[in-house]
Amino acid sequence: QVHLVESGGGLVQPGGSLRLSCEVSRSIFDANAMAWYRQAPGNQRELVASITTDGIRSYADSVKARFSIFRSNIKNVVDLQMNTLKPEDTAVYYCNTVPAWVNWGLGTQVTVSS
């Protein structure tokens, strides 16, 4: 059973924006803090942004003031709005719980390049 489905990635120029979306199984969404993670080639997966069931947000220093995380309790979706993108934001982006205990989805590729 697939619990996490990410979408919205693509190729964007530096300074551009993208919005990622993750559909989450209802039972998982309702009971867990959710987060977006990313993994660049040769690097470990890192947590980028998280949001609790109460809507409290937290961000990695590298993306603060540029990324925003949202959760829709009606649609059981977690979105990541990414602005002022930099080449170093290039990675495969995944969503998961906090801590990450659900089987990872396929992720969505974000490439920032001119």
Side-chain angles (χ1 to χ4, degrees), residues 3-108:
H3 297 293
L4 306 166
V5 180
E6 300 96 346
S7 63
L11 172 64
V12 63
Q13 292 188 342
S17 298
L18 279 176
R19 189 175 182 100
L20 308 183
S21 188
C22 177
E23 294 183 46
V24 186
S25 297
R26 170 57 69 182
S27 60
I28 293 171
F29 182 90
D30 286 347
N32 290 276
M34 297 299 302
W36 280 92
Y37 302 78
R38 68 185 180 188
Q39 186 168 22
N43 290 359
Q44 290 190 338
R45 193 171 289 164
E46 63 173 345
L47 190 151
V48 172
S50 64
I51 185 167
T52 68
T53 54
D54 294 331
I56 298 172
R57 298 172 171 87
S58 180
Y59 299 94
D61 288 343
S62 59
V63 306
K64 258 178 203 174
R66 300 189 298 121
F67 290 11
S68 297
I69 188 169
F70 303 93
R71 63 188 292 157
S72 168
N73 293 333
I74 297 175
K75 298 180 180 178
N76 48 289
V77 165
V78 182
D79 286 355
L80 184 69
Q81 176 67 40
M82 305 186 297
N83 299 325
T84 320
L85 282 161
K86 304 176 180 179
E88 51 263 43
D89 294 319
T90 295
V92 180
Y93 284 71
Y94 304 86
C95 68
N96 211 312
T97 53
V98 183
W101 62 266
V102 180
N103 287 339
W104 294 96
L106 297 177
T108 186

